[in-house]
Amino acid sequence: MNHAEITHSQTSEDLPPLLHKAVEEVITGKYLNALLDILHFQSSNVWTADMLTKVMAYFHTQEVMFTFSSLQMSIKSYLKNLLYQPRQLLSEFQQLDQQQFQTAMKYLFNSRKDHLEMGNIILDWGKTRERIFQSPGVNRTLFLITLDKCFLALSALDCVDILSQVLRVSAVNYLQPDVIGSLPNVLQEDAFRNLSTVFKDLYDKISANTQKTLYGWMKQILQKSYNMSEFNESTSWVSAENLWILGRYMVHLPLEEILKISLNEIRLFISYDNATKQLDTVYDITPELAQAFLERINSSGFDMRNTSTIYRLGLLVCFYDDMEQMDAAVARALLHQMIKCNQLRGFQAEVQKLKSQLLNIAMQNQTLNDILGSLSDAVVGLTSSQLDSLSPEAVHNAIATLNQVSGWAKSQVMVLSSKYLSYEKVLSFYNVSQMGALVSGISTQSFYSMNPKELSQIIRGTTSQYLSDLSPAQQQGILRKIAASGDFSSSVKDIQGSFFKEISLSDLWKQTGYNSSMMKEKELRRSQALYLYELLSKKNYPVDLLSTGQLVKGVTCQLIESMGTDFFLNTLKFFEKNLHLLSPYQVNCWAWKFWKVSNASIPPFLLLVLPTEYLEYVSGPLCVPFIESLGKTEMDLLNPSLHKMNAVLQKVQECLNGSIADEYDVDLLGNLICHLPPAFLHGRMSLKAMATALHQFKLCQQLSHEQKTEIKYKLLELYGSPNNWTAETTLDVGPFIALLSKGELNVLAEKFPDIILQIAKTIGLISSAEELLSTVFESVSNATANIESSLTRPDCLGTRAPSSDEIIKLAEANVFWSVQELKCMDAGTFDKNVELLGTVSGFNSSQLIALKEKAKQVWGSLPDWKSYHIVSLGRIALALTEHEIEELDLHSIDTISVLSQQTEWTLTQARSILQGFLEDSGQTISTLKSFDLVGLGAILCALNSTEIMSIRTAEFSAAVARIGLMFCSTPVLRQFKKMTESVFGTATSWNGSILQEIGTIAGGLNVDELKAFDKNLMPYFQPIAIRHIPPEIFQALSPEQIANLGPENAAMVTRSQRERLNASQLQSLQLALDGARTSAPETQTGASTTQVVQTPAPSGAPCLSGFGIWLCAVFTVHLPF
């Protein structure tokens, strides 16, 4: 043996066998195996100082040149690289031996160590673990490898625990039906119970097909464990205990299986205390299954009329059908339980019908006044006219029930509140605190006439949770009264949540004593935040201000720019956490600051808001972190221009090598999948990926018709013809069924009418789903076609009249009733459903006129209509002519406030509403309070210039932010602008917070005023204000001003505004859209031109945060510029 060989054999003998194995693995590049062997070695051996020396000597004999630091660097970069290659990680995990796998699972799921030390090599394990569990792809790998290897290597209980941890991240994406085949089909009892509990907890988070498949898996194990000697065709494997183990999966039992369940077992199951809790959660049960269970419970000897039985039935009560000779007490017990039924998925029309039958039984030989308090939420089914017939005393006595009921319509709440308060006579804090959800029915005038101290108590008390249900006019009434009382400063700190947003900027100016901690529970408008941040920054540390959350809305670009590097980098967590509160302009400033001070650690998604050429930095190893970072961000918050979005999508496609190959790519894309171009979805998305992507697509807010069409074709490829779809597939496809042909929809509607109805309810406007809604209409009409009209009017003979049942089921699909059918509607049906009919957005003018005429027929002549009648009309009110509006009683600002929410009034109708309000309330424009102005809303656009100038300044200033949300004509905005100057001084003196406060009113500025604005104020115009600047005035902006609009405002520039701009202005507009950094130095000629200031590109690649500094050591990319 030569000397080298002797040394080698000595060194390898010196190393313990496990360590020797690890060292060999390092040499062959199997770092993961080596790391796990070393960790296992350390768990039972002490690491001595000479151990590392021996390891290095061994490397030397093998002629492998490692130093301590290069070894540490290689291991780190290898491990972190694996995190961005989850498929590679899966294959490495699959090659681990059993001992290595056990060690991996121990350190991933049971270790609490923050650092792993192997001699001098230290790994930041806490950070690495966090990173592992944040990566959807790595989590998928852990899920798959656990299914694949865990049950063979660890105890079943440990494996179940690991599965539950991994599935919490994204059950819906990982638990696909095909994967469930990998679950063990033999499990010890406690492990099976634990795992089935995990699946029960995930029920709502997984697809219908997965639910059905998991039910199959549970059934097969439960059948095996059931004593098979007892098992024959006529007995069922479904014991009481098995029902309990199935939990919500019991709704997947076939009907014939339920009817075979032994009566003893059913009796035992219903006797469990847990049964009620379980039956309270079967939200997706169907009437057929529920009735089968009820039939078995009845046959098993339970008295179905007994109150304690009724209490045990959970959601099964919603389908109770034994109404013969029922007494009133049983009906009331059922109604009390039926308060849960609004949680059912669908079948609400049937529930309403049952409630109204029970209501009739409950009222036998009694008046509504007598039993109002014992009807639970069935009172919501009473019409406003029925509620109006109640005595104030009855409402007072029943308030403890009425205040807990949800689902009231605005008109009902108005009736009940006025009844309750007419009994109480004086409106006090105590009375209001008794009213619960009925608080929103108190009139604005009543709030305004209350004692300010009592109002302050309401803001602080338990009632405060209902304040967000109040209309802006009601909130303004409360605020005006408190503000006028001199008690405002002490009340400001108690005004919480969105209510705080109603305080005007001018009112905030008058108060003192603000501090950062009082801002924590408040929602702020941007104008308030700009003012308060500046004010509070004089006495508070920036970190205290940023930690409030909402105050980040007030951080200006100048503030971001002036932050020191260390402090700025430490603010990252505040900005990332509150990204949804930042404007695209703030995000752009934040990105530039990052680029300037530390392009090495810029969060990848911020590259999206920098000019397009910065995307060139993303390539090779930076691809995955870039896509992952974008996929976790809501794209709308960054508001990229179309041009930039296309560049980003191009980059994403490059990074994915031009295709979405499998579920790992879907995990990586996250929200980005919503923005992929149709052609890419068409040609480049595998069916394997589509199965996982379906859930993600359903979450997308704004898919184009072309994208939806491609998704439809993919779904047809994946699931085959809709003629063969199961109920589960139909549910999973969900809203995308709207894209199927009429023929395909008819097949589904015939097979699964209830599912189609349920899906149609979730699809908003008719424009996006006309075929689906017409299918729903035909399906519902055909089911009830034999019912003749109850009206005997000669012109209604042979015409079917809409029934309550149909109207509730159809929702938006009510648009398909003909005018004649609407005219033939029964008076009671109209009265009961007017509110719902008023929400249908697709009714045309002749349908609305027919409904208005029906209202006159049911409620009598217009002067007799009460406020609650007018309020309940919704869109039907649009059919009122100017003369009809004049006849109405419009004295209440609350009635006007509801009418003003309709956006389709003509100018003459709006003028009539305004005149009607002034005459009936005995006011003139000059006596209007701020809450009147807020309640009038868009109706104010009908004011003429003399009227606008006669509004009192103090009232206008309190309402200005609300007025600034309206889209009035330019002449009206000009008058509002003059009024605004009487509050905030001349336009040329306005700052950013004032521009934010006044909204569209800034559209009334003239050429000279607009030109005089400093370029730094341009981003503070509200986006809606930009749209309202007339093109001939907009063109007066200088190129510098346009370049400083910020990305969001630049995106609002209209085509007609753009057409007036010259080449230099258009170039500036493009810079603003791109998020370029701008400055405007004077050129030699003295003419002002805008230049883009680019921060010089660093040499080598930017090492982006989350990309980790390690990447810089491993990769050096030459940059494009």
Side-chain angles (χ1 to χ4, degrees), residues 193 222 225-226 230 236-246 253 257 261-262 264-266 268-269 272:
R193 281 180 178 242
L222 289 171
S225 62
Y226 193 75
E230 294 174 26
S236 171
W237 57 273
V238 184
S239 63
E241 190 173 18
N242 288 355
L243 262 181
W244 186 70
I245 290 171
L246 281 171
L253 285 162
E257 193 67 65
I261 301 175
S262 122
N264 275 340
E265 296 295 336
I266 274 284
L268 198 57
F269 175 68
Y272 282 165

Side-chain angles (χ1 to χ4, degrees), residues 18-19 21-27 30-40 75 96 100 118:
L18 194 55
L19 214 46
K21 178 177 171 235
V23 172
E24 288 290 352
E25 285 163 338
V26 169
I27 292 171
K30 292 185 169 179
Y31 290 145
L32 181 61
N33 305 56
L35 176 68
L36 293 168
D37 281 338
I38 292 169
L39 289 173
H40 181 56
I75 292 175
L96 298 179
Q100 290 166 337
M118 290 157 284

Side-chain angles (χ1 to χ4, degrees), residues 616-634:
E616 297 300 327
Y617 284 65
V618 178
S619 62
L622 306 187
C623 260
V624 173
F626 173 67
I627 298 180
E628 190 181 301
S629 173
L630 278 184
K632 288 179 178 174
T633 309
E634 286 295 335

